[in-house]
Amino acid sequence: MSKISVKLPDGSIKEYDSGITVEEIAYSIGKGLGRAAVAGKVDGELVDLGTRIEKDVELSIITLDSKEGLEIYRHTAAHIMAQAVMRIYGDVKLAIGPAIEDGFYYDFDLEERFSQEDFDKIEEEMQKIIKEDLPVRRELMKKEEAIEFMREKGENYKVELIEEMEDEYVSFYHQGEFSDLCRGPHLPSTGRVKAFKLLSVAGAYWRGDENNKMLQRIYATAFPGRAELEDYLKRIEEAKKRDHRKLGKELDLFSLHDEGRGFPFFHPKGMVIRNQLIDFWKEEHRKAGYQEILTPVILNRSLWERSGHWEHYRDNMYFTDIDNETHAIKPMNCPGGILVYKSKLRSYRDLPIRMGELGLVHRHEKSGTLHGLMRVRNFTQDDAHIYCLPSQIVDELTGVIKLVDTIYSAFGFKYKVELSTKPEKAMGSDEMWDMATEALREAIEKNNLEYEINEGDGAFYGPKIDFHLEDSLGRMWQCGTIQLDFQMPERFDMVYIGQDGEEHRPVMIHRAIYGSLERFIGILIEHYAGAFPVWLAPVQAAIIPVSDDQLDYARKIKKYLEEDKIRTELDDSQEKVGYKIRQAQLQQIPYMLIVGSREEDENTVSVRERRKGDLGSQKLDEFKEMIIKEIREKS
């Protein structure tokens, strides 16, 4: 029998008989690794444990403590759920069922509506399938055979998917009587799944197209152990309490209406938060050397053709006719910013030019994807575009990275960094893309940031750095982005006059920090559970008189605090003091100032903090000084 060489991640090389399986190699390295293994990665491609190795390869053993391992685990759980649904409802048709962040889902075509009672039945059947410990077996079929195989089962959605495939062979996975079209890999048997939970059901159009049939999507999750699952379910319950749509209504921050689906309405208190974020953004950008601009919302079609948006982004845009010419409502601010740059001749002495814009953009999101402030059809993007010399790229990127850190730190956010590379559909040469990608990599490493590579997820005009915020529940949100662009300056013939008196191309850096102001507010609502820090709170202090006798004194306090722009609210209702305090706490007002006859006589206030409770009596001047310091320091 011939021998093969297997190179492991630590650089060591082991020799085996040709035909050995990934699982056998894992056990040869160590029994613990063999038991923990769920798949392998052969020359960068994920494979099942039963895959036979017949040539020299590089091999990594995938275990459940990795992101890839957990996705495989959850993907197998999705197949188990689909098998259980098919056992219970014979007339169901299957669509797709991938692993997603924090769990998995499966789309079903079934006339009967799923309910919580159905969840209990499905979970019970899933437990039976797990107990049966069915082997999970992969099979390759010729495309024509695969189409016929699925057609005989009446699985028209699977047939449609197979017909669009270009491969000669199609991969299936079988477990007991259940078969599914799938690339894999999967766990070796159903018995390897230990803890799972069905979470919710939602409508989902087939292939995300609202012209197609509405299917039922069951969301679920799975973890290697019961303790991890219970911990996750507790976080889910906490997330429900923090849902920004629920809190937005309770705290009177914003509303959503059928008359404008995907277009949020901000209320006065929501506008306070919004304006505080804008003021903070403007001040930090002023310090960092940015100039503010504002560009039109509607611009001629010719501009979007030139920018490439017409070709690459048209399906997500809105249009209108003006003077018999097609115009587009802007989905992005960049082309308008470029016209500002081109409005006069620039010299190398002018560069870098940093132009910031809080620009309102509109994008046609499918109705099924809309979600509160997190996914909307119009939003304010805190854009900025930097035009610089090639020699200034790394320094400018470093400046943006430091600004990102300054702004995120004010909210107590930790963040992770991703470098996203060239997508399949992209403008420009490989050489330009390589140059841009390396410049971003150099800037990340110069600033000692840990980062991951996100292959193929760059913008169509350039690679990017993405910043993922971690909120108080450990959830990740992609907000900030930095994109390096050599394409737009070329397409728009952007130039500056160099030292040699000749025309040269500037480099363009696109960047956003909040990302979307609306979405960032939604994230903050959930991050703080509505209890905003004092500097952001719509009402910073509630003044609560014990009786009407103290109303005049309460009004004087209100006027005195508002002289320094402290946002106050006077509760002059006829309710009892205890009720007023509870109402202020429900509104998450940071401080409550209770005033009775003694406080009026001594020119003091009795201070309560929304979390700590009674802080005792304070001189009015002392309280004012304390809250001003807290606001100024954004503590």
mmCIF file of all heavy atoms in Angstrom, residues 6-36:
data_model
loop_
_atom_site.group_PDB
_atom_site.id
_atom_site.type_symbol
_atom_site.label_atom_id
_atom_site.label_comp_id
_atom_site.label_asym_id
_atom_site.label_seq_id
_atom_site.Cartn_x
_atom_site.Cartn_y
_atom_site.Cartn_z
ATOM 1 N N VAL A 6 0.970 13.783 5.552
ATOM 2 C CA VAL A 6 -0.061 14.693 6.045
ATOM 3 C C VAL A 6 0.611 15.768 6.887
ATOM 4 O O VAL A 6 1.240 15.465 7.911
ATOM 5 C CB VAL A 6 -1.122 13.950 6.880
ATOM 6 C CG1 VAL A 6 -2.112 14.931 7.488
ATOM 7 C CG2 VAL A 6 -1.842 12.915 6.018
ATOM 8 N N LYS A 7 0.490 17.025 6.423
ATOM 9 C CA LYS A 7 1.070 18.149 7.160
ATOM 10 C C LYS A 7 0.016 18.716 8.108
ATOM 11 O O LYS A 7 -1.083 19.085 7.691
ATOM 12 C CB LYS A 7 1.544 19.234 6.194
ATOM 13 C CG LYS A 7 2.288 20.367 6.876
ATOM 14 C CD LYS A 7 2.798 21.384 5.862
ATOM 15 C CE LYS A 7 3.574 22.504 6.542
ATOM 16 N NZ LYS A 7 4.057 23.506 5.558
ATOM 17 N N LEU A 8 0.353 18.805 9.404
ATOM 18 C CA LEU A 8 -0.573 19.283 10.425
ATOM 19 C C LEU A 8 -0.356 20.778 10.694
ATOM 20 O O LEU A 8 0.668 21.345 10.293
ATOM 21 C CB LEU A 8 -0.388 18.463 11.695
ATOM 22 C CG LEU A 8 -0.624 16.954 11.528
ATOM 23 C CD1 LEU A 8 -0.284 16.211 12.795
ATOM 24 C CD2 LEU A 8 -2.079 16.678 11.124
ATOM 25 N N PRO A 9 -1.290 21.446 11.380
ATOM 26 C CA PRO A 9 -1.186 22.894 11.605
ATOM 27 C C PRO A 9 0.091 23.335 12.315
ATOM 28 O O PRO A 9 0.544 24.464 12.121
ATOM 29 C CB PRO A 9 -2.421 23.198 12.456
ATOM 30 C CG PRO A 9 -3.408 22.152 12.078
ATOM 31 C CD PRO A 9 -2.593 20.920 11.840
ATOM 32 N N ASP A 10 0.667 22.474 13.155
ATOM 33 C CA ASP A 10 1.897 22.860 13.866
ATOM 34 C C ASP A 10 3.138 22.724 12.989
ATOM 35 O O ASP A 10 4.263 22.938 13.449
ATOM 36 C CB ASP A 10 2.062 22.043 15.144
ATOM 37 C CG ASP A 10 2.223 20.545 14.877
ATOM 38 O OD1 ASP A 10 2.219 20.134 13.689
ATOM 39 O OD2 ASP A 10 2.363 19.787 15.848
ATOM 40 N N GLY A 11 2.943 22.335 11.715
ATOM 41 C CA GLY A 11 4.066 22.194 10.787
ATOM 42 C C GLY A 11 4.645 20.796 10.720
ATOM 43 O O GLY A 11 5.441 20.490 9.822
ATOM 44 N N SER A 12 4.253 19.934 11.657
ATOM 45 C CA SER A 12 4.773 18.561 11.654
ATOM 46 C C SER A 12 4.157 17.774 10.500
ATOM 47 O O SER A 12 3.044 18.064 10.049
ATOM 48 C CB SER A 12 4.464 17.866 12.983
ATOM 49 O OG SER A 12 3.066 17.740 13.168
ATOM 50 N N ILE A 13 4.878 16.771 10.021
ATOM 51 C CA ILE A 13 4.417 15.934 8.906
ATOM 52 C C ILE A 13 4.385 14.485 9.356
ATOM 53 O O ILE A 13 5.368 13.968 9.903
ATOM 54 C CB ILE A 13 5.335 16.098 7.678
ATOM 55 C CG1 ILE A 13 5.264 17.544 7.169
ATOM 56 C CG2 ILE A 13 4.931 15.126 6.576
ATOM 57 C CD1 ILE A 13 6.223 17.863 6.037
ATOM 58 N N LYS A 14 3.248 13.845 9.170
ATOM 59 C CA LYS A 14 3.093 12.441 9.549
ATOM 60 C C LYS A 14 2.832 11.611 8.292
ATOM 61 O O LYS A 14 2.223 12.098 7.337
ATOM 62 C CB LYS A 14 1.942 12.266 10.546
ATOM 63 C CG LYS A 14 2.230 12.874 11.926
ATOM 64 C CD LYS A 14 1.088 12.603 12.884
ATOM 65 C CE LYS A 14 1.406 13.124 14.278
ATOM 66 N NZ LYS A 14 2.450 12.344 14.964
ATOM 67 N N GLU A 15 3.294 10.367 8.337
ATOM 68 C CA GLU A 15 3.125 9.472 7.181
ATOM 69 C C GLU A 15 2.095 8.403 7.510
ATOM 70 O O GLU A 15 2.097 7.818 8.601
ATOM 71 C CB GLU A 15 4.477 8.820 6.840
ATOM 72 C CG GLU A 15 4.529 8.283 5.418
ATOM 73 C CD GLU A 15 5.934 7.858 5.028
ATOM 74 O OE1 GLU A 15 6.328 6.753 5.456
ATOM 75 O OE2 GLU A 15 6.619 8.632 4.325
ATOM 76 N N TYR A 16 1.187 8.145 6.555
ATOM 77 C CA TYR A 16 0.114 7.166 6.747
ATOM 78 C C TYR A 16 -0.055 6.345 5.477
ATOM 79 O O TYR A 16 0.407 6.740 4.395
ATOM 80 C CB TYR A 16 -1.216 7.869 7.065
ATOM 81 C CG TYR A 16 -1.236 8.665 8.346
ATOM 82 C CD1 TYR A 16 -1.052 10.043 8.325
ATOM 83 C CD2 TYR A 16 -1.451 8.039 9.566
ATOM 84 C CE1 TYR A 16 -1.081 10.791 9.490
ATOM 85 C CE2 TYR A 16 -1.489 8.776 10.749
ATOM 86 C CZ TYR A 16 -1.296 10.144 10.704
ATOM 87 O OH TYR A 16 -1.328 10.860 11.866
ATOM 88 N N ASP A 17 -0.774 5.212 5.629
ATOM 89 C CA ASP A 17 -1.171 4.438 4.455
ATOM 90 C C ASP A 17 -2.236 5.214 3.686
ATOM 91 O O ASP A 17 -3.138 5.819 4.276
ATOM 92 C CB ASP A 17 -1.753 3.076 4.866
ATOM 93 C CG ASP A 17 -0.698 2.151 5.433
ATOM 94 O OD1 ASP A 17 0.483 2.339 5.092
ATOM 95 O OD2 ASP A 17 -1.061 1.268 6.242
ATOM 96 N N SER A 18 -2.153 5.214 2.385
ATOM 97 C CA SER A 18 -3.154 5.855 1.551
ATOM 98 C C SER A 18 -4.529 5.247 1.836
ATOM 99 O O SER A 18 -4.661 4.034 2.008
ATOM 100 C CB SER A 18 -2.798 5.667 0.071
ATOM 101 O OG SER A 18 -3.802 6.212 -0.750
ATOM 102 N N GLY A 19 -5.563 6.099 1.885
ATOM 103 C CA GLY A 19 -6.917 5.617 2.146
ATOM 104 C C GLY A 19 -7.345 5.770 3.588
ATOM 105 O O GLY A 19 -8.493 5.469 3.929
ATOM 106 N N ILE A 20 -6.450 6.239 4.454
ATOM 107 C CA ILE A 20 -6.809 6.449 5.851
ATOM 108 C C ILE A 20 -7.852 7.555 5.949
ATOM 109 O O ILE A 20 -7.869 8.496 5.149
ATOM 110 C CB ILE A 20 -5.550 6.806 6.683
ATOM 111 C CG1 ILE A 20 -5.884 6.768 8.187
ATOM 112 C CG2 ILE A 20 -4.977 8.155 6.274
ATOM 113 C CD1 ILE A 20 -4.653 6.896 9.071
ATOM 114 N N THR A 21 -8.776 7.474 6.917
ATOM 115 C CA THR A 21 -9.817 8.491 7.063
ATOM 116 C C THR A 21 -9.334 9.630 7.966
ATOM 117 O O THR A 21 -8.386 9.470 8.744
ATOM 118 C CB THR A 21 -11.099 7.901 7.669
ATOM 119 O OG1 THR A 21 -10.833 7.499 9.024
ATOM 120 C CG2 THR A 21 -11.608 6.732 6.861
ATOM 121 N N VAL A 22 -10.024 10.740 7.854
ATOM 122 C CA VAL A 22 -9.718 11.896 8.711
ATOM 123 C C VAL A 22 -9.880 11.513 10.175
ATOM 124 O O VAL A 22 -9.057 11.877 11.029
ATOM 125 C CB VAL A 22 -10.646 13.083 8.359
ATOM 126 C CG1 VAL A 22 -10.485 14.215 9.370
ATOM 127 C CG2 VAL A 22 -10.368 13.583 6.948
ATOM 128 N N GLU A 23 -10.916 10.770 10.494
ATOM 129 C CA GLU A 23 -11.157 10.364 11.875
ATOM 130 C C GLU A 23 -10.023 9.487 12.395
ATOM 131 O O GLU A 23 -9.573 9.646 13.544
ATOM 132 C CB GLU A 23 -12.491 9.617 11.983
ATOM 133 C CG GLU A 23 -12.882 9.273 13.413
ATOM 134 C CD GLU A 23 -14.278 8.713 13.515
ATOM 135 O OE1 GLU A 23 -14.741 8.078 12.532
ATOM 136 O OE2 GLU A 23 -14.917 8.907 14.555
ATOM 137 N N GLU A 24 -9.537 8.572 11.573
ATOM 138 C CA GLU A 24 -8.434 7.696 11.994
ATOM 139 C C GLU A 24 -7.167 8.509 12.262
ATOM 140 O O GLU A 24 -6.418 8.222 13.212
ATOM 141 C CB GLU A 24 -8.183 6.629 10.929
ATOM 142 C CG GLU A 24 -9.278 5.559 10.887
ATOM 143 C CD GLU A 24 -9.191 4.667 9.646
ATOM 144 O OE1 GLU A 24 -8.543 5.072 8.646
ATOM 145 O OE2 GLU A 24 -9.773 3.566 9.685
ATOM 146 N N ILE A 25 -6.934 9.525 11.447
ATOM 147 C CA ILE A 25 -5.769 10.386 11.678
ATOM 148 C C ILE A 25 -5.927 11.122 13.006
ATOM 149 O O ILE A 25 -4.973 11.244 13.789
ATOM 150 C CB ILE A 25 -5.589 11.385 10.517
ATOM 151 C CG1 ILE A 25 -5.207 10.638 9.235
ATOM 152 C CG2 ILE A 25 -4.525 12.428 10.861
ATOM 153 C CD1 ILE A 25 -5.147 11.519 7.997
ATOM 154 N N ALA A 26 -7.139 11.631 13.276
ATOM 155 C CA ALA A 26 -7.387 12.338 14.533
ATOM 156 C C ALA A 26 -7.079 11.441 15.727
ATOM 157 O O ALA A 26 -6.414 11.870 16.686
ATOM 158 C CB ALA A 26 -8.834 12.824 14.583
ATOM 159 N N TYR A 27 -7.533 10.196 15.687
ATOM 160 C CA TYR A 27 -7.269 9.270 16.789
ATOM 161 C C TYR A 27 -5.786 8.924 16.888
ATOM 162 O O TYR A 27 -5.262 8.695 17.985
ATOM 163 C CB TYR A 27 -8.107 7.997 16.630
ATOM 164 C CG TYR A 27 -9.452 8.087 17.291
ATOM 165 C CD1 TYR A 27 -10.604 8.283 16.536
ATOM 166 C CD2 TYR A 27 -9.587 7.980 18.671
ATOM 167 C CE1 TYR A 27 -11.860 8.374 17.128
ATOM 168 C CE2 TYR A 27 -10.824 8.063 19.287
ATOM 169 C CZ TYR A 27 -11.963 8.266 18.513
ATOM 170 O OH TYR A 27 -13.181 8.354 19.118
ATOM 171 N N SER A 28 -5.106 8.904 15.733
ATOM 172 C CA SER A 28 -3.670 8.592 15.768
ATOM 173 C C SER A 28 -2.877 9.697 16.466
ATOM 174 O O SER A 28 -1.824 9.450 17.047
ATOM 175 C CB SER A 28 -3.133 8.396 14.336
ATOM 176 O OG SER A 28 -2.938 9.634 13.687
ATOM 177 N N ILE A 29 -3.399 10.909 16.403
ATOM 178 C CA ILE A 29 -2.733 12.035 17.074
ATOM 179 C C ILE A 29 -3.002 11.976 18.570
ATOM 180 O O ILE A 29 -2.122 12.273 19.385
ATOM 181 C CB ILE A 29 -3.221 13.371 16.476
ATOM 182 C CG1 ILE A 29 -2.835 13.452 14.989
ATOM 183 C CG2 ILE A 29 -2.641 14.563 17.230
ATOM 184 C CD1 ILE A 29 -3.493 14.601 14.235
ATOM 185 N N GLY A 30 -4.228 11.586 18.950
ATOM 186 C CA GLY A 30 -4.573 11.473 20.368
ATOM 187 C C GLY A 30 -6.012 11.058 20.530
ATOM 188 O O GLY A 30 -6.880 11.482 19.752
ATOM 189 N N LYS A 31 -6.290 10.223 21.529
ATOM 190 C CA LYS A 31 -7.661 9.736 21.735
ATOM 191 C C LYS A 31 -8.617 10.881 22.036
ATOM 192 O O LYS A 31 -9.766 10.888 21.593
ATOM 193 C CB LYS A 31 -7.695 8.714 22.867
ATOM 194 C CG LYS A 31 -7.054 7.386 22.510
ATOM 195 C CD LYS A 31 -7.168 6.400 23.663
ATOM 196 C CE LYS A 31 -6.533 5.061 23.293
ATOM 197 N NZ LYS A 31 -6.585 4.096 24.428
ATOM 198 N N GLY A 32 -8.142 11.870 22.810
ATOM 199 C CA GLY A 32 -8.981 13.024 23.137
ATOM 200 C C GLY A 32 -9.376 13.797 21.894
ATOM 201 O O GLY A 32 -10.539 14.184 21.731
ATOM 202 N N LEU A 33 -8.421 13.987 20.979
ATOM 203 C CA LEU A 33 -8.710 14.697 19.734
ATOM 204 C C LEU A 33 -9.667 13.883 18.874
ATOM 205 O O LEU A 33 -10.588 14.428 18.260
ATOM 206 C CB LEU A 33 -7.415 14.978 18.973
ATOM 207 C CG LEU A 33 -7.573 15.740 17.649
ATOM 208 C CD1 LEU A 33 -8.150 17.130 17.897
ATOM 209 C CD2 LEU A 33 -6.232 15.832 16.919
ATOM 210 N N GLY A 34 -9.465 12.575 18.845
ATOM 211 C CA GLY A 34 -10.346 11.714 18.060
ATOM 212 C C GLY A 34 -11.785 11.797 18.531
ATOM 213 O O GLY A 34 -12.712 11.884 17.720
ATOM 214 N N ARG A 35 -11.972 11.804 19.869
ATOM 215 C CA ARG A 35 -13.332 11.893 20.411
ATOM 216 C C ARG A 35 -13.951 13.267 20.162
ATOM 217 O O ARG A 35 -15.154 13.386 19.972
ATOM 218 C CB ARG A 35 -13.317 11.591 21.912
ATOM 219 C CG ARG A 35 -13.085 10.120 22.247
ATOM 220 C CD ARG A 35 -13.366 9.845 23.718
ATOM 221 N NE ARG A 35 -12.396 10.528 24.575
ATOM 222 C CZ ARG A 35 -11.243 10.001 24.996
ATOM 223 N NH1 ARG A 35 -10.922 8.757 24.629
ATOM 224 N NH2 ARG A 35 -10.428 10.671 25.773
ATOM 225 N N ALA A 36 -13.115 14.313 20.174
ATOM 226 C CA ALA A 36 -13.618 15.687 20.014
ATOM 227 C C ALA A 36 -13.841 16.069 18.558
ATOM 228 O O ALA A 36 -14.564 17.021 18.271
ATOM 229 C CB ALA A 36 -12.639 16.673 20.654
#
